[in-house]
Amino acid sequence: MATILIKHIRTLVQASHTPVGVVAGARMGELPVIDDAFLLIENERIAGFGPMSEAPERADTQIDASGRMVFPCWCDSHTHLVFAGSRETEFVDRIRGLSYEEIARRGGGILNSARRLNDTPEEALLEQALARLQEVQRFGTGAIEIKSGYGLSVEGELKMLRVIRELKKHTKMAVKATFLGAHALPPAYRENREGYLRLIEEEMLPKIADEGLADYLDVFCEKNFFSPQETERLILAGQRFGLKAKIHTNQFNCLGGIETSVRHGAISVDHLEVLTDVEIECLLSGNTMPTLLPGAPFFLNDHYPPARRMIEAGLPVALATDYNPGSSPSGKMAFVLTLACVKMRMTPEEAINAATINGAAAMELQHTHGSIEVGKAANFFITKPIPSIAYLPYAFGSDLIEQVFVGGVKC
Ligand code: NIG
Ligand code: FE
């Protein structure tokens, strides 16, 4: 049995001897910490922690973390990190005045990425995606959800999901796969929406289920993309194949995607840049995790989700990167925390809860990830010497993570 003892930790963050579980409302502002702490790892799991006065004397490896803090790894519950190439030309088009929606209407956006993806062999896609996965791991992410949605064809969607399956073999991170066939209507079906919905239901879903390629189903519920009625139909189709829902909704318009998703027990609803009070009430009535992706409104220069209103109403929120080539080309969770604090007025404690335990819950991983608890995966990072927890989102340009451990192994 290999043991690692981290000693003299200035502050051990999100560490609790009673299960943390999802945190909501005022509790989001509470973060359990232990000062002058130790953390003991046995193989892949957390075996113990507490004040230094109770630290064991022996371990195979000992690390002195004086002046440093230890956090559980980030749980990034919404990414599109399998994609081909990049879209900085659209970034420049937006600087010159075109909107994201206008670029999409002209065949750019998601359809641009879909063309590239379908032209890229599986091996090349895997190589690009693996480099991104290794990068986000260095940024402190230890559990991640990855979506398809740039295939928009049977072969393309399967290719993306197979790449995600391959990625799992190369990492100790927890990886969840989401099928997002309904990300945009492919051009070949422009006059035949019904045909594409049936392609998803009758060809994509059965093949995906057959190969066990996905955990969740996603739909981009938005004007010019998919309606709440179509979203409902696809949520139900996914359920027939054992896939629970995680839904893109309320990015630009309130169309009813929240109500539909909550009613059908979706695991999460993501984006929520626009959100009515009625929709907040609806979220309070269910167990769907509202997931905020401030990297997207930052990069699109749009407005941010009403996080304060949500937390003050008693809701939990999760934070994720939305790492994708169009609206959020970054997988850096620490920057997402800074955006949450600066642009949504979340406190550092709220942002950390949202990026750890609540992010884990948005992937149904809250019992194994997202906090320092005995028996949970040994996924944690050691910071450089920092004076306080708030310093992490505050010093937004600095790279403050010194060592990352995933599954008990240093990355
Ligand atoms: O979550 N909004 C839909 N999907 C992605 C962006 C996709 C893209 O622009 O490639 C998002 O922001
Ligand atoms: Fe997204």
Side-chain angles (χ1 to χ4, degrees):
M1 195 180 326
T3 54
I4 306 172
L5 176 64
I6 328 271
K7 297 191 298 189
H8 303 295
I9 302 167
R10 176 182 181 133
T11 307
L12 179 61
V13 179
Q14 191 66 299
S16 172
H17 288 288
T18 49
V20 180
V22 169
V23 284
R27 278 199 53 221
M28 284 200 68
E30 295 163 20
L31 195 59
V33 301
I34 304 172
D35 290 331
D36 192 21
F38 79 91
L39 176 64
L40 181 69
I41 306 305
E42 256 173 36
N43 300 324
E44 302 193 336
R45 300 196 184 281
I46 296 168
F49 61 90
M52 256 324 277
S53 55
E54 294 169 17
E57 273 172 18
R58 273 176 232 291
D60 300 327
T61 309
Q62 303 211 11
I63 298 173
D64 186 332
S66 296
R68 293 156 172 80
M69 299 201 179
V70 171
F71 285 68
C73 279
W74 309 125
C75 296
D76 189 354
S77 64
H78 181 138
T79 82
H80 307 246
L81 77 64
V82 178
F83 57 86
S86 53
R87 299 210 319 251
E88 64 275 22
T89 52
E90 296 177 8
F91 165 65
V92 176
D93 287 343
R94 280 201 311 281
I95 295 170
R96 297 215 159 99
L98 280 188
S99 71
Y100 180 71
E101 284 150 307
E102 180 57 30
I103 291 167
R105 268 198 299 279
R106 294 182 183 192
I110 296 166
L111 297 183
N112 179 357
S113 286
R115 278 190 300 275
R116 289 164 189 249
L117 186 125
N118 281 291
D119 287 346
T120 306
E122 196 168 313
E123 302 68 45
L125 265 183
L126 176 64
E127 200 180 307
Q128 293 182 33
L130 189 56
R132 293 182 199 116
L133 193 75
Q134 285 162 347
E135 183 186 43
V136 304
Q137 197 166 266
R138 286 196 302 277
F139 290 160
T141 297
I144 194 164
E145 181 255 19
I146 309 174
K147 300 173 194 293
S148 69
Y150 292 127
L152 309 181
S153 62
V154 177
E155 272 319 304
E157 287 297 308
L158 288 171
K159 181 165 70 176
M160 287 189 79
L161 291 167
R162 288 181 189 133
V163 166
I164 300 171
R165 182 175 61 191
E166 278 312 297
L167 286 175
K168 292 185 195 175
K169 298 181 188 159
H170 289 82
T171 181
K172 284 179 160 291
M173 283 166 85
V175 178
K176 293 278 184 146
T178 299
F179 167 54
L180 175 54
H183 198 190
L185 194 66
Y189 288 85
R190 195 162 289 150
E191 305 305 324
N192 182 16
R193 296 187 75 77
E194 178 60 25
Y196 189 58
L197 294 171
R198 289 179 68 163
L199 189 73
I200 291 176
E201 290 170 328
E202 293 168 16
E203 289 199 46
M204 294 182 184
L205 276 170
K207 290 203 167 80
I208 289 164
D210 242 24
E211 291 188 44
L213 287 172
D215 303 292
Y216 302 110
L217 168 128
D218 194 347
V219 178
F220 186 18
C221 181
E222 186 53 65
K223 205 162 126 194
N224 298 324
F225 291 87
F226 295 91
S227 70
Q229 293 71 30
E230 291 166 338
T231 302
E232 174 166 49
R233 168 172 166 182
L234 293 173
I235 291 177
L236 293 172
Q239 286 174 355
R240 287 198 292 279
F241 290 96
L243 304 186
K244 295 180 188 168
K246 283 169 71 68
I247 302 293
H248 278 79
T249 188
N250 291 47
Q251 183 174 7
F252 305 116
N253 297 283
C254 301
L255 303 177
I258 301 244
E259 193 273 330
T260 304
S261 305
V262 171
R263 183 155 40 85
H264 291 293
I267 297 299
S268 71
V269 280
D270 303 37
H271 271 293
L272 320 187
E273 279 89 325
V274 290
L275 190 66
T276 66
D277 288 341
V278 172
E279 288 173 319
I280 289 183
E281 285 305 314
C282 174
L283 284 164
L284 282 165
S285 72
N287 290 316
T288 300
M289 179 62 74
T291 300
L292 312 183
L293 316 167
F298 167 73
F299 197 65
L300 301 181
N301 202 17
D302 205 346
H303 58 269
Y304 290 82
R308 279 260 60 83
R309 214 160 25 101
M310 299 168 76
I311 294 170
E312 273 148 31
L315 282 174
V317 302
L319 285 167
T321 61
D322 197 14
Y323 190 2
N324 77 77
S327 68
S328 184
S330 162
K332 195 164 196 168
M333 281 295 279
F335 184 57
V336 169
L337 268 82
T338 298
L339 289 174
C341 296
V342 175
K343 298 292 188 180
M344 304 197 290
R345 294 181 46 237
M346 288 172 68
T347 64
E349 290 78 8
E350 288 170 338
I352 292 163
N353 273 317
T356 57
I357 191 68
N358 285 1
M363 299 184 272
E364 296 179 287
L365 290 173
Q366 69 273 29
H367 301 300
T368 50
H369 294 76
S371 65
I372 304 293
E373 283 177 48
V374 171
K376 279 196 169 182
N379 288 12
F380 61 93
F381 60 81
I382 307 175
T383 67
K384 292 180 180 160
I386 55 173
S388 65
I389 289 175
Y391 192 82
L392 197 73
Y394 157 84
F396 73 94
S398 304
D399 187 4
L400 295 171
I401 296 178
E402 197 164 72
Q403 297 185 49
V404 182
F405 286 77
V406 175
V409 175
K410 191 175 160 199
C411 310

